[in-house]
Amino acid sequence: MSVIEEEDVRGGKGVFKEICAEDDEVQPTEIESLCMNCYKNGSTRLLLTKIPFFKEIIISSFTCSHCNWSNTEIQSAGRIQEQGIRYTLKVRSKQDMNREVVKADSAITRIPELDFEIPAYTQKGSLSTIEGLIDRAVVGLEQDQPVRKAVDPGVAAKIDEFMEKLKKLKDVESEFTLVIDDPSGNSFVENPFAPQKDEALTVTHYKRTAEQNTQLGLKENVAEDEEETPGNDIETLRSEVLVFNTNCPECNAPASTNMKLVQIPHFKEVIIMATNCDSCGHRTNEVKSGGATEELGTRITLHLTDPSDMSRDLLKSETCSVLIPELEFELGMAALGGKFTTLEGLLKDIKELIVSKNPFTCGDSSTPERAEKLEIFGKKMDMIIAGQMEAHIILDDPAGNSYLQNVYAPDPDPEMKVEKYKRTFEQNEDLGLNDMKTEGYQEDPSYS
């Protein structure tokens, strides 16, 4: 980091500016660069900026005045997310081809019906549509075709045939599947029905493997050589607030994270972590379950009948999804992470995530229909928070580690229903339980 950048970070300004039409400071930097098409000098324009969801990004655009060749790309300059992400989209109509996609350079793109895959790091990151991704793949295959036709006409003919199949996908004569798998968690596929659930789009968060961490340049957190020090027992942890150094997720300046083990009445122990940044003022908190995964999943349904319900304490784990049937709304697991807050705080965070932080609600990506739909959603959320609209809040946690305060405890709450259910195979798969073996592994030769 340069001296100027370091001063900017300490001063809270940062080198990444938010795009604003009235801000003269947000100007691209122009650099003279070599054109790889005609080998004459062209120009590259770099813009370091912030956008919702992606946070810090670097947008670069190259143009050559001699041969008119141009190239644009987008690169994430933010932090690698805690979990990888996989988008599986069933493309059923031409409208689906217009969905906007943020594809990081670490993402793998697959079309299973054609047995086609674009490996990670073979393309630069891009902000495009699904049709644009297919066009880019076709252009990449066409690059060396003249040489192939001269050296190996048979291979060239097969590639021509395959490119025709890719081009026919744009007509959507039949349904096909597009999979974008990004271990860094920095890719994104648009949901045109937001804030409602997209039936054609499946979003899966997963824990990275050791190999994926190595590809991303992440160091494994190995604690095998750490010696156990006196006083680190469970009673000490309950009474102490542990502090460890980290970096701010917004400005990347040095910050500190406080961690505390807390006992929730009538529930279990949880770990609360809070990070405060003195440079930019950013604050964040996260909750982790302090216990094991429960044998049964938990579904909590609360009928909101009084404004006082907004003050109920709420623990939402990372594996918990939130549903509001009256709004036809569903928030998938890991979308907001783990939270220990009130019901009002959770609803405000949902509104901010859907309405304010949605990257496709402003600029060229916004449409009047979508903006109107999200505005109506935001007004209904405000009515629910103010107690002007009755609704049901459903917390569905397959791991059984979420909690909603019963104000009548230890007596039953007449407006709250708590159900225990057996997890499906798919839910166990998402939690990583199907491949977990804790008994008899020493006798199993496959674990030797």
Side-chain angles (χ1 to χ4, degrees), residues 380-400:
K380 289 184 178 180
M381 287 292 285
D382 289 337
M383 291 174 63
I384 293 175
I385 294 173
Q388 300 172 358
M389 176 180 174
E390 285 195 11
H392 292 78
I393 304 295
I394 302 175
L395 303 178
D396 191 347
D397 188 357

Side-chain angles (χ1 to χ4, degrees), residues 79-86 106 121 181-186 205-220:
R79 299 169 63 86
I80 295 174
Q81 305 302 313
E82 290 188 2
Q83 293 182 314
I85 195 165
R86 182 184 303 109
S106 58
Y121 303 106
D181 190 341
D182 185 7
S184 74
N186 284 328
H205 297 265
Y206 61 88
K207 185 177 180 181
R208 285 185 292 268
T209 63
E211 182 181 355
Q212 288 172 328
N213 279 328
T214 302
Q215 290 177 347
L216 294 172
L218 299 177
K219 184 178 179 181
E220 288 292 321

Side-chain angles (χ1 to χ4, degrees), residues 28 55 123 134 152 220 273 323 333 442:
K55 296 183 181 177
Q123 288 183 350
I134 294 176
D152 195 338
E220 288 292 321
M273 294 183 291
L323 296 88
M333 63 172 64
Q442 292 180 344

Side-chain angles (χ1 to χ4, degrees), residues 35 103 283 305 376:
C35 175
K103 177 186 173 297
R283 293 184 177 185
T305 57
I376 294 174

Side-chain angles (χ1 to χ4, degrees), residues 3 15 31 50 52 79 109 119 128 137 163 212 226 237-238 242 280 283 296 305 339-340 349 376 392:
V3 176
V15 295
I31 305 171
K50 293 181 180 179
R79 299 169 63 86
T109 305
S128 180
M163 285 191 296
Q212 288 172 328
E226 293 183 359
L237 290 176
R238 286 194 181 99
L242 303 181
C280 67
R283 293 184 177 185
L296 299 174
T305 57
K339 282 187 174 294
F340 184 46
D349 287 341
I376 294 174
H392 292 78

Side-chain angles (χ1 to χ4, degrees), residues 298-305 309 312 314 320-326 343 391-397 402-406 412-421:
T298 302
R299 184 180 296 106
I300 305 173
T301 303
L302 175 66
H303 183 204
L304 301 176
T305 57
D309 288 330
R312 291 178 185 243
L314 179 145
C320 179
S321 58
V322 182
L323 296 88
I324 307 177
E326 286 77 4
L343 187 55
H392 292 78
I393 304 295
I394 302 175
L395 303 178
D396 191 347
D397 188 357
S402 294
Y403 163 83
L404 183 59
Q405 182 185 10
N406 175 8
D413 189 332
E415 302 298 337
M416 187 167 73
K417 181 181 179 182
V418 181
E419 302 173 84
K420 297 290 185 178
Y421 64 89

Side-chain angles (χ1 to χ4, degrees), residues 143-154:
Q143 284 182 349
D144 297 328
Q145 275 299 83
V147 177
R148 293 193 192 99
K149 290 178 180 179
V151 177
D152 195 338

